[in-house]
């Protein structure tokens, strides 16, 4: 019980109070959706970063997770999650870029089924371990190049891409259901990427820019 408290509720810088303060900051930055704020409040982000960085887990910043990758800034995770909830709760969500598993965990508290792919094996293995430890059973995660999406379980009502492609791969757009939404940072230059929200209609795709963002690059091939 004591160990469980330390692990999941945390002490001091990793406590429930630290998470609640983060929620207050996100609200101030404009995040409104109650389910998103609730998911952030209950998810122990300090378990998704290296122990040496856990005291910084509830700052609203991206942090390194190894292999040259980062866990996204909480505000961006919240913004992207809120953006796919615009038309209601999607049944099935595909995430490309599992990374630490934090974004997938936030999604798992809101939507029925999360599918997540990661090209770096080491990160995927660690993320799956976290899902097990947190007893999350509605995330299906696999080691794979997300350029091709996850064709066996398509279509998805929403797709979240957490690394920035120069151009969105067609196969990903094709795995979106009609009426579904994709949230994706697009652009090569890290300081000039645009976070786009793309709605699939009966016969086309409608895109809207949400804001300027800075994501790690989308890369093809497995590592
Ligand atoms: N959603 C993650 C953010 C991780 S950073 C989190 O919450 O922690 C983005 C991740 O995308 C990196 O781990 C990177 O390896 C992965 N990535 C980049 N290109 C990819 C691709 N083509 N297929 C799958 N994963 C990819």
């Amino acid at each position: 019980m004591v160990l469980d408290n330390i692990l999941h509720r945390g002490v001091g810088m990793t406590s429930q109070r630290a998470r609640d303060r983060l929620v207050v900051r996100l609200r101030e930055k404009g995040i409104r959706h109650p389910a998103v704020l609730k998911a952030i409040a209950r998810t122990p982000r300090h378990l998704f970063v290296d122990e040496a960085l856990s005291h910084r887990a509830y700052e609203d910043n991206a942090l390194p997770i190894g292999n040259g990758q980062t866990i996204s800034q909480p505000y961006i995770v919240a913004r992207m999650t809120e953006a796919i909830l615009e038309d209601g709760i999607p049944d099935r969500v595909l995430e490309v870029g599992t990374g630490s598993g934090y974004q997938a965990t936030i999604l798992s508290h809101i939507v029925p089924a999360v599918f997540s792919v990661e090209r770096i094996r080491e990160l995927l293995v660690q993320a799956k371990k976290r899902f097990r430890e947190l007893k999350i059973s509605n995330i299906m995660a696999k080691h794979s190049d997300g350029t091709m999406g996850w064709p066996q379980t398509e279509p998805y009502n929403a797709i979240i891409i957490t690394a920035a492609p120069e151009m969105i791969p067609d196969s990903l757009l094709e795995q979106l259901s009609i009426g579904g939404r994709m949230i994706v940072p697009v652009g090569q230059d890290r300081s000039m990427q645009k976070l786009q929200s793309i709605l699939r209609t009966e016969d086309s795709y409608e895109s809207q820019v949400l804001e300027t963002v800075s994501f790690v690059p989308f890369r093809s091939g497995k590592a």
Side-chain angles (χ1 to χ4, degrees), residues 27-41:
R27 236 192 259 276
E28 284 166 4
K29 290 185 173 178
I31 303 300
R32 287 285 173 267
H33 202 295
V36 176
L37 294 168
K38 204 169 146 196
I40 302 254

Side-chain angles (χ1 to χ4, degrees), residues 49-148:
V49 296
D50 196 83
E51 221 178 315
L53 288 172
S54 59
H55 65 289
R56 297 189 51 202
Y58 300 104
E59 293 171 9
D60 189 18
N61 288 319
L63 291 170
I65 54 171
N67 298 81
Q69 307 304 318
T70 54
I71 178 173
S72 308
Q73 180 194 356
Y75 167 74
I76 293 295
V77 171
R79 185 83 175 88
M80 290 175 90
T81 310
E82 213 172 49
I84 62 158
L85 302 180
E86 201 169 304
D87 323 294
I89 307 277
D91 274 346
R92 298 151 56 75
V93 180
L94 172 67
E95 177 193 33
V96 178
T98 317
S100 68
Y102 181 72
Q103 169 79 74
T105 299
I106 296 293
L107 289 167
S108 77
H109 293 317
I110 304 173
V111 309
V114 181
F115 298 81
S116 186
V117 295
E118 169 57 54
R119 64 179 288 275
I120 301 176
R121 182 185 295 279
E122 208 176 308
L123 293 179
L124 199 261
V125 168
Q126 286 173 29
K128 285 182 87 159
K129 189 161 167 259
R130 291 180 181 120
F131 303 150
R132 269 196 306 278
E133 280 167 5
L134 294 171
K135 300 189 169 56
I136 297 168
S137 55
N138 60 339
I139 302 177
M140 275 54 72
K142 73 167 176 180
H143 178 224
S144 162
D145 175 4
T147 311
M148 303 310 285

